[in-house]
Amino acid sequence: MIKLPDAKNPRRDTPPAELTRAALVRAALKLFGRQGFDGTSTREIAAEARANIGSIAYHFGGKEGLRAAAADFIVETIQTVAGQALGNSQAAAPPDPEAARAQLFAALERMVGFIVAQPQAGEIVQFVLRELSHPTAALDRIYDGVFEPTHRRLCLIWEQATGEPAESERTRLTVFTLIGQVIYFRIGREAVMRRMGWHDIGSAEAAKVVAVTADNLSAILAARKKQK
């Protein structure tokens, strides 16, 4: 697993090679997301990471290997965040509908807390958006490691919460809708702040987003219950 120590306060017991590797991944994640893979040179990455340009080939075999490492870091990061709220893909389903609904709300809150409020999420989302626009093998790693298993897990929890089949078209689209409303607050961050008169989106603002998205989830669950 690639760990990215705080660049300002690196752990004294972290080997220099690991610090260099982590700094290169951090720089690649930032620059590939901002400028695109083709628009970013290895020299720029090395300068951003304050590393020797030869360290890219040494640690990753080249620029393409560094992109794969950045994708793997995204997978590991989101798996950790998602796992805290959903459990892993092999975890047992919630024992009853009430527990499943509670887990859906917890997952929504966790998503907002990370995607909307954490600065690191901005670089991750930018990188992923680039990959979604121009898919490469890096997107395959992210899809297989995060998108598909996390979405499938949420669909299973939705089935337990509502009785709707997990793999039905309606369930899959509903789960995409729940995720999409959260993602907007990251990709539309600047527009949201201007319209809301916010100077930033921190924990206080994220809590307000959680309240509204939770209301949306409650309304969808209530509507499904009436349709039974």
Side-chain angles (χ1 to χ4, degrees):
M1 176 176 178
I2 300 170
K3 297 180 180 179
L4 301 190
D6 187 336
K8 295 182 180 179
N9 298 292
R11 290 175 52 189
R12 292 183 179 180
D13 59 347
T14 302
E18 185 177 327
L19 290 173
T20 298
R21 180 181 173 86
L24 288 168
V25 172
R26 188 191 300 276
L29 191 66
K30 176 181 178 180
L31 294 177
F32 289 159
R34 180 184 297 174
Q35 302 172 185
F37 182 79
D38 293 334
T40 302
S41 68
T42 53
R43 190 171 300 279
E44 286 177 297
I45 296 169
E48 178 71 25
R50 297 182 181 180
N52 187 298
I53 192 169
S55 60
I56 296 175
Y58 176 79
H59 287 287
F60 306 101
K63 188 176 167 186
E64 190 62 58
L66 182 51
R67 173 160 61 178
D72 288 342
F73 171 72
I74 290 173
V75 170
E76 292 160 6
T77 300
I78 299 180
Q79 279 180 346
T80 298
V81 174
Q84 292 170 348
L86 302 176
N88 60 45
S89 59
Q90 305 303 317
D96 54 61
E98 184 177 349
R101 288 191 289 270
Q103 196 164 25
L104 287 172
F105 283 102
L108 193 62
E109 183 175 2
R110 181 74 65 175
M111 278 193 288
V112 172
F114 177 71
I115 295 172
V116 178
Q118 291 296 315
Q120 182 189 48
E123 295 177 354
I124 289 175
V125 170
Q126 277 191 319
F127 184 100
V128 172
L129 287 175
R130 288 272 186 183
E131 285 296 319
L132 289 170
S133 298
H134 303 284
T136 71
L139 180 61
D140 294 336
R141 299 167 90 101
I142 296 169
Y143 179 84
D144 293 340
V146 175
F147 285 177
E148 196 273 345
T150 301
H151 187 273
R152 188 178 295 276
R153 176 68 178 167
L154 282 167
C155 287
L156 288 170
I157 296 170
W158 184 263
E159 178 180 58
Q160 186 70 358
T162 66
E164 295 180 355
E167 289 303 302
S168 70
E169 182 178 77
R170 192 181 192 195
T171 293
R172 285 178 288 155
L173 287 173
T174 299
V175 169
F176 274 126
T177 299
L178 293 173
I179 296 170
Q181 66 176 333
V182 176
I183 296 293
Y184 176 79
F185 284 95
R186 170 55 65 178
I187 63 176
R189 187 182 185 85
E190 188 60 36
V192 170
M193 289 193 298
R194 292 186 184 192
R195 184 69 179 96
M196 297 304 299
W198 294 343
H199 298 295
D200 193 13
I201 300 182
S203 57
E205 292 78 15
K208 295 174 183 178
V209 174
V210 169
V212 173
T213 53
D215 283 346
N216 292 342
L217 175 55
S218 294
I220 295 172
L221 288 170
R224 292 295 207 273
K225 190 174 182 179
K226 287 182 179 179
Q227 293 169 8
K228 285 187 177 181

